[in-house]
Structures are given as structure tokens and as C-alpha cells.
Amino acid sequence: MKKNVFRLLLTGALATILFVACNSEGTKEGEQTTTTEQTAAPVVAGQSGVVDDQSQKNVVGIAVGSPDHTTLVTAVKAAELVDALSNAGPFTVFAPTNAAFAKLPAGTVEGLLKPEKKDALQEILQYHVSVGVYKLENLKDGQQIDEVFGGKVTIGVKDGKYTVNGANILATVPASNGVVYVIDQVIFAPAKK
Amino acid sequence: MKNYINYVAATLAIATLTQCKPKSASQVVTGDAASKVYVAPGKYDEVYNFVSGGFSGQLAVYGLPSARLLRVIPVFSQNPENGWGYSEETKPMLNTSHGFIPWDDLHHVALSQTNGLDDGRWVFVNGNNTPRVARIDLKTFRTAEIIELPNSSGNHSSPFLTENSEYVIAGTRFSTPLDGNNDVAISSYKENFKGTISFIKVDPTSGNMSVPFQVVMPPFNFDLSRAGKGPSHDWFFFSCYNTEQANTLLEVNASQRDKDFVVAINWKKIEEYAKANKGRVTTSKYAHNIYDDKTHTATSTISEGIVQFDAAELKGMIYLIPCPKSPHGCDTDPTGEYIVAGGKLAATIPVFSFSKIIKAIEGKQFDAEFAGLPVIKYEAALYGEVPKPGLGPLHTEFDDKGNAYTSMFVSSEVVKWNIKDLKVIDRKPTFYSLGHLMVVGGGTAHPYGKYLVAYNKITKDRYLPTGPELSQSAQLFDISGEKMEMLSDFPTIGEPHYAQAIEASKIKDGQVRFFKIEDNKHPFAAKGEKESKVVRTGNRIDVYATCIRSHFSPDNIEGIQLGDEVYFHVTNLEQDWDVPHGFAIKGAATAELLVMPGETCTLKWTPDRIGVIPFYCTDFCSALHQEMQGYMRVSPKGSTVKLKWSLGDFSSDAPVAAATK
């Protein structure tokens, strides 16, 4: 499973490189021909750029629409994960609230948002995303779910309350491409051995 | 990783190769043709081009100017890739008075019009073989309705629309003995055979079709037709051949007379006559099939009885105009004043004048009657002839600047000429032997112009060879200048017999992206996984199944027995644009299903052996598409294995409905 995701990401990365390469070529062509209406290459946007106000919201759309998730949305944008999370998925996303991010030591979020920290930010966010739909009614105490990066999270179910790595699941929001669990803490992968 | 490197290398190699391709390979294309057909990734084409699939029975949709194939709409032929004509819901669409007919020969395309302009609501197409007219809804790009035409054989002169889509007209190619007098000697053709022209009324709101009446004509072969426009709004003009009324070796025997006819029909007067007169009701049977977007299901009704009027009784409503040598196309120009006939064996293109036709009728400038119908003197109706236009003129369409474009089959060229002075302006070869051509909006009162496409019959060396069977070809021309310029050349599905094109802006914003699950009125829909279930009624099993990224519910079913008939009603629970799910069963003798979001489709499956049979999703829906699968256990008849189903940990025993007696 992990391998598959890695392969997916790798394919995505290569595809992006190829696409960008082709696109810059397209720009040149566009500049050379004066008869075409296209003069400049469009901004490269993936599926997040699709104008669609009819479909059910995807996991990104749900986060964007939530006033409690502005920090998460900022982070997802800075980590350039908006397109990936707008794609077919399906995803299970653990979405820390603004308050959850605020619990981190002062300066942590600001530090992670710096361009040079993009890799670290991606790793943290990808520990909050699993490829697959894990419905609440199917979650079991002690169940482990493999995340896109960083290994497994552990689900807790006690007295009808659900947790992930100890963070409380506050709400469940179904999305077109998966499910979003609102959580009250940012979760971190165990340190590498 | 190595694979990716190889892939990148290959891509680069291709790019390099492309750049090195000698320009002389395309001799007729000059200048900046490439940039004129280039539509950048992510950009839309300027027009939708609806191209008939001929013997494929389907309708192709291309974008122009790129010539990218956008979609093939299944119409008259079964389509196993999405279950059209195989699913329980769509089987009724292919029902006819002959029973289920899973194919046809789709020739002509007519976009619906309002005030003489394409309105982008529907496109009508004909089934040539088992005479039918289909209406395709341009909100869903699906076949919404098919109506059969009784007493028609070879529905070639069809479908042609009036300026406000009041009527679709459909003329028969073959004249035959009519219902009630069928069993006659073929040699009694002149006495017993008749042609028919069917009037199909189109409901202005729903688009639903009905056949209020038919006109029984002399036994000619009706070929093509166009409605009038503006001043000639009330009229239709048909070409016909075989006025010799031959019933054998038509190749020779239908080419004897110097002139056949263009038939001018005042549909408005006939409509009034039909309202005031009862006509003769025949016993003809015909199917009328309608697809409902709410139940996602089609119904087929066999109607009996059709009203007929004899042409001879419609005094003052039908006139014959002599026209040289087996005319094929019969096209009215945007002003409605000029009617252009393409005499396929003629040396000229006759252009008739509507105002002269009316004057000739008023002044009774007639030759002797033919088959009981008045014949207008040729010169009295003629505006003029295009001299030496080329060989084998067939079809004419028009631009927005007063020019006409005629396809020349025999000499394989498009000829541009001016309607007013009838002088040839330009001619360009096509590769090879075009039949129809089309100009964007070229059949309307205000053509869009700009592009012309020639649809060719012979392909030979145009593309990389593919054995003896080759795709047919279409060639795109820029007609914005004085001279026509060929831009590109592309293969098509089936036979690209005729096509029409419409500005994309008239269609693209009204598209249905998915079906709302709350509007789903399918009787077997499961609108959530909790509603999924399996019900046995005698030897019939109904599976109320759902699908969503990335599983079916249920995905384990036991208790099916040999001898059962299993109906899988698969509801796609997605409410997201462009997330269909497929459904396929190992050994299914019919087809797979492709279920759109919010839709329910049913596959009937009859197990043929004992065992555990897998099923899975055929549409790559998500990262876990390959996990989207399930199993069914088939046990011997009378087995004690209980009917049960499950998804994940959830399971229950099935209630068994009382068997119907």
C-alpha cells in the first residue's frame, strides 16, 4: 500500500515535470504565432481549478468552507497539496482545527509555512491523510490506518468517543472524494528509529 | 524508476521525431494551418460538430477546429461499453414493430431550430434501415426518444426540420406496397407501390415526437429535403429520383429520364388540411420509445393506426419541378429564396427561385401532369444554372457572405460559387470522393460560416494503413477568405455521412453534470448503502446495489442458485462531476454497465455454472479502483445455502418475498 502511494506520488511528480516542460514549450509557440487567440500559457492549475458549484464538495472544499480550518487551508496551500486532495482520492482526512494548531509551541506554524520548510510541512500534513475511505461506523478501537506519509495512526473507540493518536474526533463530514474527521490536535508521526 | 526514465526518453524521442518530419508530407496544407486548428490544452473548441456514424448507427461529437473526438453517443446500435441497449432500462429504446433491433444506419443530422437558427436543444437523427427518427437531448448528450415510421423503407430523406422545429419531415427512399395491400407482384410496381412522406410533430417544450399523418406519394425514391426559410417558411423541397418507377437494375433503369423532380410541398396547408379532414387510418404498427431522466428508464409503446392523405387529393399543396438527372441534395439558401439541387449525373447545378415558383403556380405555367401532380415548367421555376461546376454535384451548404459550397462526388472537390451571379469562385480537391459537406450553421437562416468540413467516402493512403478496413476521413477547411484553405484531415467513426455544427456557447453551459440522487425515481434505486439489499421472488433475485469510491454494497452475496435470474440494479451514489462507476460480472453474456453519478442501471445476469463469481468496477474511479470488487456464490438449484449479503462486517439474512403466483 505504502509503495503504491509512493508510486502514485512519484508518477504525479514526473507528470508535473513533463507538463511544466510542455507548457513552457507551449508558451514559446504562443509567442511565435500571432494569429492564435492564446497569447500566454495559462496558470497551471490541476483539478482544484475546475469551476464546479454543483457537485458535492471535496475534502479541500470542505476545509475551505470551514471557518475553523483557516490555518489548515493555509498550510495545505503552502504545501501545494490542494490539487492532490482535489483529485479522485478517495481520502480520509484528519483535519485539525485552528485551535489545534494554536496548541503547538509558538512560532511552529509560522516556521512551517516558510518556503524552505515545504518538505517538512508536506510530511506533517500527509500524516493526516490516508488513501481510502474509513467510515466512522467501521472504525474499531486499536485499529491502525496507514497514512500517505509517516506510517500508521491508531484509532481509539471508547464510550462512543473516537480518537486518532489521542486527538479527539470532533465531527465527521462526508466529502465527494472521501471523509473529513475534524480533530482537536495536530498529530505527529512517531520519530524515526 | 527505470520505466519512467525510459518513458521520458521515449517522449523526448517522439518530440524530436515530430520536429524532423518533413513539411512536404502535406502538400495541400500551407501557411499557418497548424495554428488555426491548435487548441491549447485546457482550452475549448469553438464549435460542436455532430457527425453521423453511418453504418455504426451512432452519433459522433467532435470539437472544431481541433477535430478532437469528444464523445460517441449511442443511438441505434447497442453499445456494450456502457450498456446502451443491453441494460434493462435502455433495451426498450431499440424496440420496433419488428421486435428488438440492435443496429441501424444513421445518415442525417438535424439540430433543432428556433426562428431559423440552431437553438442547441436537441439533435434529430435518422435510422435509415428500420425507419426511425431519434431525438438526442443536448443537456445530457443522450438519446431521449426514438420513433418508428410505418410505411417507410429506407428512411433516407430524413430528418429535416422546419424553422421552428414544428415538424420533422421524413421521406422514404424505397417505395413499397403499403400496409393493407402488401402481397403483390414486384412487377406491379407502378400500380401497387407508393412512397410516403411522414410528418413528425415536435412538442415545443418537451421535444416529444408524434406522427399525426403521412402523405402518400407516387412511387419515386425520395432522397433529401430542406425546409424553406423566411419567405418560403411554409414549404418543404424534396429531391427524388427513379421517376421512371423502375423496380430492377435501378443503376440503369432509374437514369433514363433527362429530368426527375424537385417536389415542393406546402406543409402549412397540408397541416391545415389534416386538421380539417379525417384521412384514411391504416393498420400500421410502429414503436415509440421514450427515455425518462428521472426514472433513468425507457418505455416502449407500440402504436397502431396512422392517418394518411393521398398526394392527389392535396390540391394546390404539392408541385413537381423538373430537375436534371437524379437530383440528390436539395438545399435552400439562408434567405429562403434559392433552392439548389445537386443533379448527381448532371452537368450543371440548377438553382430554383422561390418567388418564381410562386409566380409560376399563380400563372399556371405547367407542363402535363405527372402521376396526378402538377408539373411546373423548368424555366418558369429556374433562377439559373451554375455552368460546369464539376462532376457529380451532390450537396450544397452556405456561408454568411452569399456563397454556396457544393460537394462534387465524381470529381472529388468542393466548389465555392456565388449565389447571385452563379459564378464559380474557387475549387479545392478532397481526398477522396466526398459525399456531404457541412458549413457551421450552413443550413440555417444565418450561417456561422468560418469552417467547412468535407466528409469523404474513400480514405486509401491518407493515414497510416490499418489493413483492408480503413477509417473514413473528414477534411476541415477554413472558408473565411476568398479561397478555401484545407486545415486538417481526421479519421471518423463509421461512415461520416452528414454532420451539422453549432457554436459551443449555445450548448456548453446547459450541461447536466450528474443526476441528483434525490430526484432518482428508479423503482429499484438504493439511495444509500443502508438501502442496499437482495430480494428473492421465486427464481428472480433483485440486488439493490450501490457503488461509491471504492466499493459496492453489497459486495458478498450468497444463496444464488442455478436457474435464478439475477437483476443487478446498481445505483451510483456519487454526487460529483465525472465519477462514473462500471459494473462487470465474469461471464456476463451481454455487456457491462457504466453508471453515471446519481443514476441507477440494471444488468440482468443468468448464472450458467456453480461456483463463486467475481464482479468489479470497470471505470478507473479512484486510487482504490482495483479494490472495487465483490463475489457472488452460485449454488445448485434447491441448495440449502441461505440468501445473504454483506459489505465489510455488516450482514443480514435476506427476507424472502412471497413468490408471485
Side-chain angles (χ1 to χ4, degrees):
Chain A
M1 183 62 230
K2 194 174 173 186
K3 240 187 221 165
N4 279 341
V5 173
F6 176 68
R7 214 184 291 150
L8 270 175
L9 292 174
L10 186 64
T11 314
L14 276 172
T16 311
I17 293 165
L18 283 172
F19 183 53
V20 171
C22 292
N23 199 60
S24 63
E25 235 173 64
T27 311
K28 265 186 227 155
E29 267 186 29
E31 284 165 0
Q32 282 164 357
T33 48
T34 51
T35 48
T36 49
E37 283 167 35
Q38 298 84 21
T39 49
V43 176
V44 180
Q47 233 189 106
S48 67
V50 174
V51 178
D52 182 4
D53 53 4
Q54 296 172 32
S55 295
Q56 185 187 7
K57 280 180 181 170
N58 61 37
V59 294
V60 175
I62 282 165
V64 168
S66 160
D68 293 333
H69 288 91
T70 51
T71 309
L72 178 66
V73 170
T74 304
V76 167
K77 284 179 183 165
E80 294 182 5
L81 289 171
V82 175
D83 273 326
L85 293 171
S86 301
N87 287 338
F91 302 112
T92 297
V93 175
F94 298 103
T97 57
N98 292 345
F101 280 103
K103 288 179 194 168
L104 297 175
T108 308
V109 172
E110 292 73 11
L112 285 168
L113 291 176
K114 287 179 180 160
E116 64 268 26
K117 290 286 184 191
K118 196 170 87 180
D119 280 359
L121 181 63
Q122 280 181 344
E123 290 176 4
I124 291 168
L125 292 175
Q126 287 171 3
Y127 189 63
H128 289 75
V129 179
S130 181
V131 177
V133 178
Y134 294 87
K135 289 189 165 183
L136 192 77
E137 61 262 35
N138 295 348
L139 295 179
K140 294 188 188 76
D141 190 43
Q143 183 178 355
Q144 294 205 313
I145 295 175
D146 199 27
E147 300 300 292
V148 170
F149 186 88
K152 293 175 168 41
V153 294
T154 304
I155 299 296
V157 185
K158 281 195 179 75
D159 305 328
K161 289 188 176 167
Y162 292 79
T163 56
V164 54
N165 282 10
N168 291 305
I169 294 179
L170 306 174
T172 306
V173 190
S176 64
N177 61 348
V179 60
V180 176
Y181 292 118
V182 178
I183 57 174
D184 65 354
Q185 287 177 48
V186 180
I187 54 176
F188 292 95
K192 281 173 197 163
K193 288 164 195 168
Chain B
M1 190 62 219
K2 226 190 224 168
N3 280 340
Y4 290 113
I5 294 172
N6 287 342
Y7 175 68
V8 172
T11 311
L12 283 173
I14 291 167
T16 317
L17 269 177
T18 311
Q19 281 162 1
C20 296
K21 194 179 173 186
K23 276 186 182 159
S24 60
S26 46
Q27 290 155 348
V28 288
V29 175
T30 54
D32 56 355
S35 70
K36 286 181 179 173
V37 299
Y38 179 71
V39 177
K43 295 287 179 190
Y44 292 149
D45 277 293
E46 193 176 336
V47 300
Y48 283 100
N49 184 201
F50 295 92
V51 185
S52 71
F55 43 69
S56 90
Q58 319 293 46
L59 181 68
V61 187
Y62 292 84
L64 295 179
S66 74
R68 294 180 294 190
L69 178 63
L70 304 177
R71 177 126 192 82
V72 176
I73 304 171
V75 185
F76 295 116
S77 294
Q78 282 180 303
N79 191 41
E81 81 172 58
N82 70 354
W84 177 257
Y86 290 101
S87 72
E88 294 305 298
E89 290 80 3
T90 57
K91 276 198 275 192
M93 290 302 282
L94 303 184
N95 192 35
T96 74
S97 64
H98 301 272
F100 183 78
I101 305 284
W103 67 280
D104 213 309
D105 182 22
L106 191 162
H107 269 206
H108 302 126
V109 178
L111 286 157
S112 58
Q113 292 191 1
T114 302
N115 297 324
L117 292 176
D118 295 330
D119 58 25
R121 298 207 288 167
W122 309 300
V123 58
F124 296 86
V125 295
N126 67 332
N128 227 353
N129 183 270
T130 304
R132 286 173 280 181
V133 169
R135 178 175 58 85
I136 290 140
D137 187 333
L138 294 181
K139 281 191 164 59
T140 56
F141 278 57
R142 284 181 168 195
T143 305
E145 186 177 9
I146 295 179
I147 197 163
E148 189 183 1
L149 300 170
N151 297 306
S152 175
S153 295
N155 176 38
H156 189 269
S157 188
S158 161
F160 298 98
L161 281 173
T162 54
E163 279 188 295
N164 287 303
S165 306
E166 295 99 333
Y167 285 97
V168 176
I169 296 289
T172 186
R173 164 189 171 170
F174 294 94
S175 286
T176 59
L178 299 186
D179 284 342
N181 183 32
N182 304 52
D183 186 15
V184 298
I186 298 170
S187 59
S188 70
Y189 186 99
K190 285 185 184 174
E191 301 85 72
N192 289 321
F193 286 46
K194 294 289 176 192
T196 58
I197 292 171
S198 300
F199 282 64
I200 303 170
K201 185 90 185 122
V202 179
D203 183 275
T205 309
S206 67
N208 284 346
M209 299 183 282
S210 57
V211 190
F213 58 92
Q214 289 183 321
V215 176
V216 178
M217 297 291 291
F220 308 150
N221 286 39
F222 292 90
D223 209 2
L224 287 151
S225 177
R226 286 287 185 191
K229 302 180 179 87
S232 55
H233 171 83
D234 295 355
W235 293 76
F236 255 102
F237 305 96
F238 286 85
S239 61
C240 63
Y241 61 102
N242 192 25
T243 55
E244 294 84 353
Q245 303 171 52
N247 56 278
T248 183
L249 194 62
L250 266 63
E251 181 182 12
V252 173
N253 293 331
S255 306
Q256 297 300 303
R257 286 162 51 84
D258 286 341
K259 288 193 170 64
D260 292 287
F261 297 114
V262 162
V263 186
I265 290 183
N266 189 319
W267 64 265
K268 204 81 179 161
K269 280 191 181 168
I270 295 177
E271 181 188 44
E272 286 163 21
Y273 183 86
K275 279 178 188 163
N277 294 273
K278 285 181 178 163
R280 176 176 66 252
V281 181
T282 75
T283 56
S284 319
K285 287 183 178 162
Y286 61 102
H288 186 192
N289 313 327
I290 299 181
Y291 186 83
D292 183 325
D293 274 342
K294 295 285 186 257
T295 59
H296 303 290
T297 302
T299 50
S300 177
T301 313
I302 300 287
S303 299
E304 187 168 345
I306 196 152
V307 175
Q308 289 182 338
F309 297 105
D310 277 324
E313 71 182 277
L314 302 171
K315 297 285 180 216
M317 303 178 208
I318 302 177
Y319 298 90
L320 305 180
I321 303 163
C323 185
K325 291 269 172 195
S326 302
H328 193 53
C330 182
D331 299 288
T332 51
D333 88 314
T335 67
E337 165 63 10
Y338 302 104
I339 300 109
V340 181
K344 57 184 185 270
L345 309 176
T348 62
I349 301 173
V351 179
F352 298 103
S353 153
F354 177 70
S355 49
K356 283 187 78 175
I357 290 169
I358 295 301
K359 271 185 203 149
I361 292 169
E362 286 165 0
K364 295 194 164 38
Q365 293 173 276
F366 297 139
D367 289 332
E369 282 193 351
F370 193 93
L373 295 171
V375 180
I376 297 172
K377 284 184 186 298
Y378 179 66
E379 289 74 17
L382 189 72
Y383 172 72
E385 293 176 340
V386 182
K388 294 191 177 175
L391 303 178
L394 295 186
H395 305 281
T396 302
E397 293 221 351
F398 307 90
D399 67 11
D400 49 334
K401 302 185 187 86
N403 300 308
Y405 301 81
T406 302
S407 56
M408 300 288 168
F409 179 77
V410 175
S411 54
S412 187
E413 59 189 336
V414 179
V415 174
K416 176 182 179 181
W417 50 277
N418 183 277
I419 302 168
K420 279 267 145 53
D421 66 18
L422 306 176
K423 282 185 178 148
V424 172
I425 299 165
D426 188 24
R427 56 178 72 243
K428 285 286 186 299
T430 74
F431 306 87
Y432 305 92
S433 305
L434 77 167
H436 277 272
L437 50 69
M438 74 106 219
V439 173
V440 183
T444 70
H446 296 283
Y448 181 81
K450 195 164 176 181
Y451 301 113
L452 177 150
V453 184
Y455 297 97
N456 298 291
K457 307 301 182 193
I458 310 291
T459 303
K460 293 202 169 166
D461 60 354
R462 296 306 292 174
Y463 314 121
L464 283 173
T466 55
E469 192 171 343
L470 306 173
S471 286
Q472 299 197 17
S473 80
Q475 282 143 17
L476 174 70
F477 290 82
D478 177 350
I479 56 166
S480 56
E482 168 92 354
K483 300 288 180 187
M484 297 176 281
E485 181 191 0
M486 188 183 286
L487 299 178
S488 73
D489 183 341
F490 57 98
T492 62
I493 67 153
E495 182 217 357
H497 188 88
Y498 177 54
Q500 290 196 339
I502 177 173
E503 302 97 292
S505 59
K506 289 186 175 177
I507 291 181
K508 72 177 173 63
D509 297 329
Q511 292 298 294
V512 171
R513 290 180 170 182
F514 56 88
F515 299 103
K516 288 189 179 131
I517 193 87
E518 63 265 31
D519 294 343
N520 184 326
K521 300 280 190 284
H522 193 291
F524 291 96
K527 297 192 190 181
E529 286 179 5
K530 288 195 169 69
E531 294 180 20
S532 62
K533 60 182 175 182
V534 183
V535 177
R536 172 183 284 282
T537 314
N539 72 335
R540 174 182 169 126
I541 291 180
D542 288 292
V543 181
Y544 295 67
T546 64
C547 54
I548 195 163
R549 279 167 279 182
S550 307
H551 57 269
F552 294 99
S553 177
D555 67 0
N556 280 202
I557 302 170
E558 295 197 358
I560 296 169
Q561 297 179 6
L562 214 54
D564 286 344
E565 288 184 333
V566 187
Y567 292 81
F568 280 91
H569 313 284
V570 184
T571 302
N572 182 345
L573 297 176
E574 307 274 359
Q575 291 289 278
D576 196 1
W577 190 15
D578 193 25
V579 190
H581 289 291
F583 180 72
I585 305 170
K586 181 188 173 187
T590 50
E592 59 194 295
L593 296 176
L594 198 57
V595 190
M596 295 303 121
E599 184 183 30
T600 304
C601 296
T602 303
L603 188 70
K604 181 185 171 186
W605 175 66
T606 309
D608 71 335
R609 64 193 66 186
I610 294 158
V612 175
I613 310 293
F615 59 89
Y616 68 101
C617 172
T618 49
D619 187 285
F620 204 117
C621 56
S622 72
L624 298 171
H625 160 71
Q626 203 66 0
E627 281 76 1
M628 194 164 172
Q629 64 173 54
Y631 290 106
M632 290 177 287
R633 176 179 172 190
V634 179
S635 301
K637 192 162 183 64
S639 162
T640 54
V641 175
K642 274 188 169 179
L643 187 66
K644 60 180 182 178
W645 68 92
S646 62
L647 167 70
D649 291 340
F650 294 87
S651 62
S652 67
D653 288 332
V656 178
T660 47
K661 286 173 187 174

